[in-house]
Amino acid sequence: MSSILHQPLRILVTGGAGFIGANFLHRIVPQLSDTVIVNLDKLTYAGNLQSLQAIEKAPNYRFIYGDICDLDLVQKLFAEYQFTTVVHFAAESHVDRSIQSPIDFARSNVIGTASILQAAKDSWMHASSDMQEFRFVHVSTDEVFGALGPTGRFSPDTSYAPRSPYAASKASADHFVRAYAETYGLPVVISNCSNNYGPYQFPEKLIPLAIVRAMNLDLIPVYSKGENVRDWLHVDDHCEALMRMLHNGLAGETYLVGGSGECSNLELLRLLLTIVDEELGRTPESSWKLIKFVKDRPGHDFRYAIDASKLVTELGWAPNHTLEEGLRATVRWYLSNQPWLQSVMDESYRTYLKTQYEAV
Ligand code: NAD
Ligand code: DAU
């Protein structure tokens, strides 16, 4: 099977200043040194250019401050760069925020995706021969499938049943992506992935929130009784899966990505806090007392679990991190990256945005 990454490419990454996008850029910018890689990001509260300091001066990397909903801007970028690959991460991503501000999610996740698709389609349809291997990789979530009971796993055949405004917006985006594939023949690949964790994750999501709170001996809010189950995946394993989709993913296909790291939130936190205590030389299990049960999230999905066998058998992917190893590496990363963490906690990472881009 041919690999699109064997050719000189021009890649558009959307949302590359966020958690997964930044990890993805750290991987591809040094690896694909002959490839122009453009990162289009609006720098919402979740976008942090400090996460990209190690690669920001690379000659093959460009940052564009802008909104994916701005069709004029997106079309100009496609006209200028003639992208051969799009990896679309940009989205509002936090379920609790979607309950507070659903329209923001409809805008960025639905209109934004439609805008990127429209520009990609126009560019691809009028392009010269080096666009034959064009790919649009859409980074979606397992939440589009709704909630599982105690048994069963999501597969590529599972029906869509989103239950939160976030999940509904991502499901709608997925439908737009498929519609562009069916109607215009745009070569798309969709990835539906489970919960990621790892470096550079904004500390509103459960794992970084718990690490930061445990470091400071603050209480850790756990919704309801902590019985909800998630299938945790280290972000490097997700990025590796996306690379395999870029290399060998078949146009029109959907791949599910999950780490076989299923556990309840309470089990997860006990393991995580045990690691934090070990790394900080605290009395074993002493941080467990920080767990505080609080009111449940409205419409809280009970369980997610992924059957990733298609990705394993067709693209040869397998996760490299066990949950315990991945959590330990993540705890160590947060402990040893205090300047990054501090700038997020005191919001000084936003001043970088103001000085560099807001006047543009
Ligand atoms: P994130 O919230 O950390 O980052 C999102 C990035 O998108 C930010 O840099 C933000 O500034 C940018 N962005 C948001 N709206 C934008 C807009 N209108 N125009 C331009 N940029 C915009 O998100 P993440 O956790 O890195 O997730 C990335 C993608 O992966 C999302 O599409 C998300 O739905 C999906 N996903 C995330 C997970 C997870 O566990 N984090 C799991 C599966 C899928
Ligand atoms: O499944 C993939 C999805 O995983 C991604 O698409 C989303 O972008 C990502 O945010 C994540 O969604 P979740 O809602 O599962 O992640 P979160 O970290 O917010 O919550 C994980 C679990 O922990 C969930 O059952 C809710 C619970 N929780 C979360 C927070 C923030 C708590 O108990 N307390 C908390 O304070």
Side-chain angles (χ1 to χ4, degrees), residues 93-96 141-143 166 193-196 204-207 209 221-223 228-230 232 265 297 300-301 304:
S93 71
H94 191 43
V95 173
D96 293 322
T141 170
D142 59 359
E143 302 204 12
Y166 164 69
C193 186
S194 64
N195 289 61
N196 284 217
E204 63 183 350
K205 308 277 166 60
L206 182 63
I207 287 178
L209 177 91
V222 176
Y223 301 152
N228 299 64
V229 173
R230 296 292 182 265
W232 295 97
N265 292 336
R297 169 187 280 174
H300 194 174
D301 286 341
Y304 308 139

Side-chain angles (χ1 to χ4, degrees), residues 70-190:
D70 181 347
L71 184 57
D72 281 350
L73 168 69
V74 176
Q75 279 174 326
K76 277 184 194 136
L77 289 176
F78 272 89
E80 182 178 348
Y81 288 98
Q82 298 284 303
F83 297 114
T84 52
T85 301
V86 178
V87 187
H88 177 39
F89 294 99
E92 293 290 344
S93 71
H94 191 43
V95 173
D96 293 322
R97 287 181 190 255
S98 83
I99 295 166
Q100 298 305 319
S101 311
I103 305 303
D104 293 344
F105 283 67
R107 186 179 173 282
S108 283
N109 300 2
V110 186
I111 305 293
T113 299
S115 151
I116 297 284
L117 283 165
Q118 178 66 12
K121 185 266 286 179
D122 288 345
S123 169
W124 169 73
M125 277 187 152
H126 299 109
S128 52
S129 55
D130 75 337
M131 293 286 264
Q132 275 170 4
E133 306 241 36
F134 181 86
R135 280 290 182 281
F136 186 112
V137 177
H138 174 60
V139 183
S140 188
T141 170
D142 59 359
E143 302 204 12
V144 299
F145 302 119
L148 291 166
T151 59
R153 291 187 296 171
F154 299 133
S155 79
D157 299 326
T158 305
S159 301
Y160 275 45
R163 298 178 70 252
S164 72
Y166 164 69
S169 68
K170 292 296 289 188
S172 174
D174 291 10
H175 291 323
F176 267 95
V177 175
R178 283 204 184 85
Y180 270 72
E182 295 293 336
T183 309
Y184 308 108
L186 190 71
V188 305
V189 174
I190 298 181

Side-chain angles (χ1 to χ4, degrees), residues 237-256:
D237 289 325
H238 184 192
C239 290
E240 175 61 27
L242 293 171
M243 291 305 281
R244 284 173 190 254
M245 291 179 217
L246 275 180
H247 276 283
N248 291 324
L250 294 181
E253 292 294 316
T254 292
Y255 299 92
L256 269 54

Side-chain angles (χ1 to χ4, degrees), residues 269-289:
L269 287 175
R270 287 189 172 152
L271 175 59
L272 180 67
L273 295 176
T274 299
I275 293 169
V276 170
D277 287 337
E278 284 170 8
E279 294 294 323
L280 289 176
R282 289 182 184 160
T283 310
E285 300 179 7
S286 60
S287 297
W288 287 19
K289 65 176 181 301

